[in-house]
Amino acid sequence: MDREALRKLLGRVARGELDVDTALERLRVMPFEELGFAKVDHHRALRAGLPEVVFGEGKTASQIVSIAKALAGRETNLLVTRLDPGKARALRKALPGVRYRPDVRLATLVRRKPEKRGKGKIAVVTAGTSDIPVAEEAAVTAEMMGNEVERIFDVGVAGIHRLFAHRNEILGASVLVVVAGMEGALPSVVGGLVDRPVIAVPTSVGYGASFGGLAALLAMLNTCSAGVVVVNIDNGFGAGVAASLINRV
């Protein structure tokens, strides 16, 4: 339950459209609902301004379905990350209306259009095409949290003129999420061009000496561009959440 849902519920009680006992029953599962194997946090959107999100990796299909039903039953928008196709099929069967992106391994169910809370635009930028799945995880996360997102893909340092062709979009963004594998140089370049926060996302894209994204991670942590912060390898979700919080200020 988020602020808007709670406001509507209390408004109905105030107008006499809903009795107090029914309202109390609807609030019964706050702050969390006990499922035995999971405690579903229905209070997170109200407390932190961000809805509960389900991390699909490592959970069984039945666990994901149970958690998703608990969230969807409270008229909450649903976001499931790192979801493989088999578990996605089970989820879509249990909850009609779920949309699945196999390229991103991400599922969404929109019960209500996300309230627009971003003050400006978030630009999600990738060095290469292979970085797009991680970038899309960030972009969809930010959109589900009420932000306008501009996607700028395949503008890495191997052809830096491609980045400069999008100069206006980059300078017009309030926050930038910059996604890169290989040597991870792009966030440093972007950080040197803008006066806005840059969230760098290293990806596991690259040949052997990239060590599954470790080389990009270390390069980003050692950037000489002030204002660049770094999330974990392939953590598009974390970058999308951070960008959303910054964009609300």
Side-chain angles (χ1 to χ4, degrees):
M1 177 172 286
D2 58 19
R3 293 172 187 267
E4 185 60 29
L6 183 57
R7 187 180 292 113
K8 288 180 179 179
L9 180 65
L10 294 177
R12 292 187 65 193
V13 174
R15 293 189 299 271
E17 299 171 4
L18 194 70
D19 64 82
V20 172
D21 288 337
T22 301
L24 285 173
E25 180 61 24
R26 294 190 182 183
L27 294 171
R28 182 178 58 84
V29 296
M30 292 178 70
F32 64 86
E33 182 176 355
E34 178 64 70
L35 298 182
F37 58 86
K39 292 176 173 63
V40 182
D41 189 353
H42 294 295
H43 195 258
R44 185 171 301 180
L46 184 62
R47 183 182 70 248
L50 302 169
E52 174 82 289
V53 175
V54 183
F55 182 71
E57 205 168 89
K59 294 182 177 68
T60 66
S62 62
Q63 287 172 339
I64 293 169
V65 167
S66 295
I67 295 170
K69 282 184 173 180
L71 289 168
R74 310 303 297 183
E75 295 302 311
T76 300
N77 290 339
L78 179 67
L79 177 61
V80 185
T81 65
R82 303 304 166 94
L83 187 67
D84 67 47
K87 294 172 185 175
R89 283 193 292 272
L91 181 61
R92 294 182 71 183
K93 183 177 180 180
L95 285 173
V98 167
R99 297 183 63 185
Y100 179 59
R101 291 276 304 272
D103 55 326
V104 190
R105 295 188 297 158
L106 186 148
T108 58
L109 177 63
V110 178
R111 293 294 198 190
R112 290 180 319 192
K113 185 177 180 181
E115 176 189 359
K116 187 175 181 181
R117 302 187 66 184
K119 304 293 185 182
K121 187 180 293 185
I122 296 173
V124 178
V125 185
T126 74
T129 303
S130 298
D131 300 310
I132 290 176
V134 174
E136 276 295 320
E137 184 177 82
V140 174
T141 297
E143 288 171 337
M144 289 288 286
M145 295 180 179
N147 299 277
E148 183 181 356
V149 176
E150 176 103 34
R151 291 162 170 82
I152 304 170
F153 293 160
D154 195 27
V155 292
V157 297
I160 200 67
H161 58 291
R162 299 173 298 173
L163 177 67
F164 297 145
H166 294 277
R167 179 181 175 86
N168 290 338
E169 297 101 300
I170 290 168
L171 294 178
S174 296
V175 190
L176 296 103
V177 175
V178 185
V179 186
M182 300 288 187
E183 82 285 20
L186 186 61
S188 294
V189 175
V190 174
L193 295 173
V194 302
D195 61 352
R196 308 298 166 89
V198 174
I199 302 169
V201 187
T203 72
S204 51
V205 172
Y207 295 104
S210 69
F211 298 108
L214 184 59
L217 172 64
L218 294 175
M220 293 173 185
L221 288 171
N222 284 284
T223 180
C224 62
S225 292
V228 175
V229 296
V230 189
V231 298
N232 209 344
I233 298 168
D234 292 336
N235 189 11
F237 166 73
V241 170
S244 297
L245 292 173
I246 293 169
N247 198 34
R248 291 179 185 180
V249 177

